[in-house]
Amino acid sequence: MREIGRILAPHGLRGEVRVLCLSDFPERLTQPGRRWYSLPNQEAYQPLTLVQSRPVPGKNLYIVRFQECTTCEQAQSLRGASLWVAAADRPHLEPDEFYVPDLIGLTAWLAGEPLGQVTGVIPAGNDLLEITTPGGRVHWIPFVRELVPQVDLLQKRLELNLPPGLLELNQNQSQRSRSA
């Protein structure tokens, strides 16, 4: 399952809810169909049927109506719930596009040797891969084809082609930010 949103609060008296979009694909909150929810501290997924929604202008929020939720009290019971879609229902990506959760945990290889694991992806002009070595050092590598020419999700690895000095530059920046 993939989390796509969080139910913040009821909206109105007819069971609609305000949902914060947590997906790069907002159509997941606009297209009718099956979704699932889980309440905080609860692992079980419960089905919901999205009937219709509308965006809140200027915000990353949607007003959503579910078939199973027709009263304010029912909407209130969903406050704080996470909304999910099945992983198999993920939208198709173009070549060289990846879902962030699929990158986390990949082993980064440099010059035929493992450097560390991808422990995060930092959104920026070009996303930065956060790679943590077994010794705990953190390196930030721009996620661009020139520096990361190969990503193999099946083998759980990616290849790095880094210019001389990039890793040392990262380490110097990491030490400066800790001392500040």
Side-chain angles (χ1 to χ4, degrees), residues 132-150:
T132 305
T133 68
R137 287 187 173 181
V138 176
H139 300 287
W140 298 285
I141 308 297
F143 191 37
V144 295
R145 179 175 277 291
E146 293 79 15
L147 302 180
V148 187
Q150 183 179 2

Side-chain angles (χ1 to χ4, degrees), residues 25-122:
F25 303 95
E27 61 271 14
R28 290 175 163 180
L29 292 175
T30 59
Q31 294 176 349
R34 177 74 67 184
R35 306 295 185 280
W36 287 264
Y37 76 94
S38 64
L39 294 169
N41 304 317
Q42 187 180 66
E43 294 184 24
Y45 299 108
Q46 303 296 320
L48 283 172
T49 307
L50 192 150
V51 176
Q52 76 180 102
S53 73
R54 61 190 182 277
V56 175
K59 300 189 184 224
N60 196 28
L61 298 174
Y62 290 80
I63 307 301
V64 180
R65 185 165 57 94
F66 295 106
Q67 180 178 338
E68 298 82 0
C69 187
T70 57
T71 68
C72 187
E73 291 76 21
Q74 290 171 323
Q76 181 64 31
S77 72
L78 294 175
R79 182 187 290 266
S82 293
L83 280 179
W84 304 85
V85 294
D89 292 339
R90 299 192 299 184
H92 173 74
L93 296 178
E94 296 297 320
D96 294 330
E97 290 184 334
F98 302 93
Y99 288 104
V100 169
D102 293 343
L103 297 172
I104 305 298
L106 295 183
T107 300
W109 288 75
L110 177 63
E113 298 289 327
L115 174 65
Q117 285 202 322
V118 177
T119 52
V121 177
I122 301 165

